[in-house]
Amino acid sequence: ASPKCESAPFDKTEGNYWMSVDQYVGGIEHAVMHLLYSRFFHKVMRDLGLVDSDEPFKRLLTQGMVVAHSFHCKTHGYIPPAETQNGKCPHCQAELAVKVDKMSKSKKNGIDPDEMVKKYGADTVRVFMLFAAPPEKDLEWSDTGIEGAARFLRRIFQLALKNFEELKNSDPKSLKLENLSKSGAEINKIIHKTIKKVTEDFTLEYRFNTGIAFLMEYLN
């Protein structure tokens, strides 16, 4: 809040300016750690007169986990998905127990984000993760889902490229609504509905998946 203050934990004016935090985003596993501790310390500081606010955070969003299929052999433990052989253990050919688990190193079901970014690009990975599930729900990793996000972004790029010269030479300020054709007026209406919906979903409701769905509908 005030890193240059040397006479107190923080300057009260600056502390009141920065606190309470507008939005806290964290996993459910942090509810009895970070959240509990920060609320405890904040209320102690309030009682001491160091801050004026009652709570450290105004709003909480508890995000879901990223989950994926895990494969377990009774003899050899967890097997990485890429090493399984038609649902069998590559070491002893026993049938593997398959279930959906939180991605983790111990379950060997993690996806390396660097590999995904290298293959598809960071924007595709972001779009897939935001579109696959609401932020408060678990997100099940899906190779077909990330392919779909890549196709969506490719279509946007190709549409812009195909109309590049027309877009480059157009002047939005010269657009006269009364001169629009019937289909042009309909598209203009859809543009404004999309702007309103995406703005609300992204900045107020944090429903990124429905905002992206509207963008997909708009592209169509």
Side-chain angles (χ1 to χ4, degrees):
S2 47
K4 293 178 182 175
C5 177
E6 296 181 359
S7 58
F10 52 86
D11 177 86
K12 184 173 180 179
T13 303
E14 292 187 4
N16 283 330
Y17 171 79
W18 288 108
M19 301 299 286
S20 301
V21 171
D22 293 313
Q23 178 70 58
Y24 180 102
V25 181
I28 191 75
E29 74 277 15
H30 291 176
V32 292
M33 292 186 280
H34 304 169
L35 273 177
L36 191 66
Y37 299 158
S38 54
R39 291 188 72 227
F40 173 80
F41 280 110
H42 193 86
K43 287 178 185 294
V44 169
M45 289 191 290
R46 177 204 59 191
D47 293 349
L48 291 171
L50 295 173
V51 292
D52 293 337
S53 52
D54 288 327
E55 294 284 351
F57 314 111
K58 291 178 184 174
R59 188 172 173 183
L60 167 67
L61 172 62
T62 303
Q63 66 193 23
M65 304 284 188
V66 181
V67 298
H69 284 94
S70 66
F71 300 84
H72 186 264
C73 171
K74 286 182 180 177
T75 308
H76 299 98
Y78 285 98
I79 308 293
E83 294 179 19
T84 62
Q85 297 173 351
N86 296 319
K88 294 184 177 179
C89 175
H91 309 295
C92 64
Q93 294 302 303
E95 287 286 340
L96 296 169
V98 184
K99 64 175 183 168
V100 175
D101 275 316
K102 174 188 171 185
M103 272 193 190
S104 66
K105 288 179 182 176
S106 62
K107 304 280 174 68
K108 298 185 179 177
N109 64 342
I111 300 290
D112 184 350
D114 289 339
E115 287 299 316
M116 291 293 110
V117 170
K118 201 181 296 179
K119 184 174 179 181
Y120 295 103
D123 286 337
T124 297
V125 177
R126 288 189 185 111
V127 167
F128 164 67
M129 295 195 75
L130 293 177
F131 179 64
E136 71 276 8
K137 302 288 185 185
D138 286 347
L139 183 161
E140 186 170 347
W141 187 264
S142 159
D143 290 339
T144 53
I146 200 163
E147 290 282 357
R151 284 195 302 274
F152 166 58
L153 292 178
R154 205 177 297 123
R155 284 182 64 208
I156 294 175
F157 185 81
Q158 287 167 347
L159 184 68
L161 200 62
K162 181 182 171 185
N163 298 283
F164 180 72
E165 290 302 321
E166 205 173 328
L167 289 166
K168 188 174 71 170
N169 299 320
S170 66
D171 178 16
K173 290 177 185 172
S174 68
L175 180 70
K176 300 252 187 312
L177 296 179
E178 60 271 19
N179 295 339
L180 288 175
S181 64
K182 189 177 178 182
S183 60
E186 187 59 33
I187 288 173
N188 191 57
K189 193 188 293 183
I190 294 168
I191 287 171
H192 287 281
K193 279 185 175 178
T194 303
I195 290 170
K196 181 176 187 292
K197 178 68 176 169
V198 172
T199 301
E200 288 173 353
D201 282 0
F202 273 43
T203 63
L204 299 176
E205 305 297 336
Y206 302 142
R207 291 195 298 248
F208 306 111
N209 57 319
T210 57
I212 292 171
F214 253 74
L215 289 172
M216 290 174 171
E217 194 177 315
Y218 172 57
L219 176 65
N220 289 336

